[in-house]
Amino acid sequence: MEKYAIRGGNPLVGEVEIGGAKNAALAILAAAVMTDETVLIENMPDVRDTNILLQAMESIGTIVERVDRHTVKINGSQIHNLVISDGYVKKIRASYYLIGALLGKYKRAEVALPGGCDIGSRPIDQHIKGWKALGANVKIEHGLIITQADSLKGSHIYMDVVSVGATINVMMAAVMAEGQTIIENAAKEPHVVDVANFLNSMGANIKGAGTDVIRIKGTERLHGTEYVIIPDQIEAGTFMFSAAITKGDVTVKNVIPKHLESISAKLVEIGCEIEESDDAVRVVASKPLTHTKVKTLPYPGFPTDMQPQIAATLALAGGASMVTESIFENRFKYVDELTKMGADIKVEGNTAFISGVKKFTGANVSSPDLRAGAALVIAGLAAEGFTVVDDIKYIERGYEDFHLKLQGLGAVIERVEDDRELQKFKFKVG
Ligand code: UD1
């Protein structure tokens, strides 16, 4: 089993290129099948989740042509099967975006219930509510979500919770419904806007994405397009916190600083300096870090996908901090692992109470999910001695070349396949 072997203690210094946003890419890839014409997608991250989704799309007849590592051509004209029950699909939550896409285009889809990170119960009632409001029949049988409609009709939908997935999934179906759909209490995340921009570039008529009311005028046909995916806010944020936790100086490049505002603001609060330019953000951590309070919230609030990374950093900051998770109930599974490194964190309900410690010491830890795994890696980079992070398959779901990008910043980290390679690493870096 692959692991990351780390020898901590080096401040990370330098520049790192941020890739395309995974969570935007997943929805955009699915939406690309909604036209029979060819769609060219650039800045696609080469990560496990996008690759699994592409395989699922190929399994129903989508033609996928890889132009280069980050560019793909998709053609949905040969789709011959609207049932995606493949085992791959269960591995990634975003497989359910194929329902919105196929239901919109063909008025029918059967897709296995989504998998994804185990960070709490992840209902899809708001997706179902939206599709039903558009006139679809929706039932769950044999582990499949089965949707079908004679025709889809625009509707006024109020989301009971702010959900990225439901907003995107209902928006996709509504794009090819008759008449106008209004989604109220919509999610405002940058990737919701990116998916709307992508669909608009295919001929859809979506207004208001990025606010909490999205208005969609249905259209009969979408056409081909060329589209560049936005940079990944969470990959950028993870590298920004890697600078803070290692007391380094890192510039994340190819980012949209506006998308990083809540992350930058917290870094300033805990004592880092931030320099922004048009498409880069520099984080300098030259002073001792200090405590703060943070609560995860839908965009533009502090992202839940950055919660483990900030908690790990606060565990090394002076004083008592509080981290409240308000989106998912099971997102503190990394705390036991951080404790092995010397962190002092107590979780009560949805809040982690953190007493900053002076140092972490390296340990063998396991990655419980994607973002928690990334947090353990940056904790290992700040720790004294060796850390081994196991179960990195989770991390590889969402970070492309994570260890290589960290090496570029001076981190001593390698991806090792077995214990022999691990011993070699320890011997080499002593
Ligand atoms: C997406 C992201 C994930 C991120 C999350 C919140 C993808 C592939 N994943 O997940 O990385 O952590 O947004 O920013 O883009 N909920 C319901 N009913 C529903 C749908 C959601 O109650 O039908 C609840 C969830 O349980 C959760 C909250 O709404 O408490 C937010 O979930 P949501 O925004 O839907 O997250 P995902 O789209 O699954």
Side-chain angles (χ1 to χ4, degrees):
M1 272 255 259
E2 298 78 13
K3 312 166 201 283
Y4 285 140
I6 300 165
R7 199 207 57 206
N10 283 14
L12 299 196
V13 176
E15 297 181 344
V16 59
E17 272 303 318
I18 300 306
K22 171 188 81 97
N23 288 345
L26 291 167
I28 286 172
L29 289 174
V33 305
M34 294 182 75
T35 170
D36 281 346
E37 296 176 21
T38 297
V39 170
L40 180 91
I41 299 168
E42 293 175 76
N43 205 28
M44 191 193 62
D46 182 17
V47 292
R48 231 180 93 223
D49 274 14
T50 49
N51 290 323
I52 291 171
L53 181 64
L54 286 170
Q55 285 169 18
M57 287 164 59
E58 281 180 307
S59 77
I60 56 168
T62 309
I63 300 163
V64 174
E65 186 195 327
R66 291 187 186 261
V67 180
D68 60 40
R69 191 174 180 197
H70 300 124
T71 309
V72 68
K73 275 189 190 166
I74 310 267
N75 184 295
S77 63
Q78 306 298 316
I79 289 178
H80 48 70
N81 181 1
L82 300 176
V83 184
I84 303 179
S85 56
D86 195 274
Y88 286 120
V89 176
K90 295 202 177 73
K91 295 184 193 165
I92 54 158
R93 185 163 180 78
S95 55
Y96 62 25
Y97 285 138
L98 286 167
I99 305 180
L102 296 175
L103 179 65
K105 185 179 182 193
Y106 299 105
K107 314 296 174 245
R108 193 162 77 77
E110 298 187 16
V111 175
L113 275 167
C117 276
D118 179 17
I119 52 179
S121 115
R122 299 181 79 173
I124 55 160
D125 56 301
Q126 298 304 306
H127 305 235
I128 293 174
K129 174 179 164 172
W131 296 323
K132 281 188 172 166
L134 296 174
N137 289 312
V138 185
K139 54 186 179 177
I140 297 179
E141 276 176 8
H142 309 295
L144 291 175
I145 308 165
I146 302 172
T147 58
Q148 182 275 328
D150 294 333
S151 64
L152 293 176
K153 296 215 164 44
S155 179
H156 197 134
I157 301 158
Y158 187 91
M159 295 283 176
D160 300 322
V161 293
V162 180
S163 159
V164 172
T167 301
I168 291 177
N169 231 336
V170 175
M171 184 169 81
M172 287 202 286
V175 156
M176 295 187 90
E178 290 162 28
Q180 176 164 262
T181 296
I182 299 175
I183 304 176
E184 301 224 39
N185 201 23
K188 297 180 282 211
E189 267 67 3
H191 40 293
V192 175
V193 180
D194 208 35
V195 179
N197 288 342
F198 171 70
L199 286 164
N200 282 343
S201 78
M202 291 168 85
N205 184 340
I206 305 172
K207 294 208 167 79
T211 74
D212 43 25
V213 185
I214 299 180
R215 291 188 161 75
I216 303 153
K217 284 208 180 102
T219 176
E220 249 174 61
R221 195 163 281 109
L222 297 172
H223 54 71
T225 186
E226 294 185 2
Y227 195 79
V228 183
I229 294 172
I230 52 164
D232 197 303
Q233 176 203 22
I234 306 300
E235 187 194 15
T238 303
F239 281 101
M240 288 164 73
F241 271 91
S242 76
I245 199 169
T246 64
K247 308 275 167 32
D249 178 350
V250 171
T251 301
V252 289
K253 295 180 70 178
N254 181 33
V255 298
I256 299 173
K258 173 100 191 116
H259 295 167
L260 301 170
E261 271 173 358
S262 65
I263 296 166
S264 297
K266 281 291 157 198
L267 285 164
V268 170
E269 258 176 59
I270 66 172
C272 297
E273 283 158 54
I274 300 283
E275 273 173 34
E276 278 179 13
S277 56
D278 284 352
D279 64 351
V281 177
R282 179 177 176 198
V283 181
V284 185
S286 53
K287 291 187 284 209
L289 300 181
T290 181
H291 56 99
T292 191
K293 280 188 190 165
V294 59
K295 182 175 181 183
T296 62
L297 287 169
Y299 189 83
F302 191 86
T304 171
D305 284 357
M306 285 301 301
Q307 183 261 99
Q309 300 89 316
I310 192 171
T313 307
L314 291 173
L316 275 181
S321 294
M322 258 170 72
V323 175
T324 302
E325 172 56 59
S326 74
I327 312 283
F328 294 110
E329 75 264 28
N330 199 9
R331 243 190 154 162
F332 286 123
K333 283 195 293 187
Y334 61 89
V335 165
D336 287 347
E337 305 301 294
L338 274 186
T339 305
K340 293 181 192 162
M341 301 170 92
D344 181 354
I345 306 176
K346 306 232 165 357
V347 177
E348 277 174 32
N350 66 346
T351 300
F353 296 89
I354 303 173
S355 299
V357 293
K358 290 234 151 35
K359 64 169 188 183
F360 286 163
T361 49
N364 289 344
V365 293
S366 253
S367 169
D369 59 66
L370 165 59
R371 306 302 173 186
L376 293 172
V377 170
I378 64 167
L381 293 170
E384 203 176 87
F386 289 103
T387 291
V388 177
V389 181
D390 220 330
D391 279 339
I392 62 169
K393 59 178 188 291
Y394 293 112
I395 303 174
E396 293 180 340
R397 284 186 40 196
Y399 291 89
E400 180 182 313
D401 294 343
F402 194 36
H403 62 297
L404 299 179
K405 290 188 180 185
L406 289 166
Q407 280 173 11
L409 297 170
V412 183
I413 178 169
E414 260 174 39
R415 188 177 185 279
V416 296
E417 305 264 336
D418 51 35
D419 282 344
R420 231 187 81 235
E421 284 187 16
L422 178 61
Q423 293 316 323
K424 261 170 60 186
F425 169 81
K426 287 187 172 171
F427 183 70
K428 193 169 80 185
V429 304

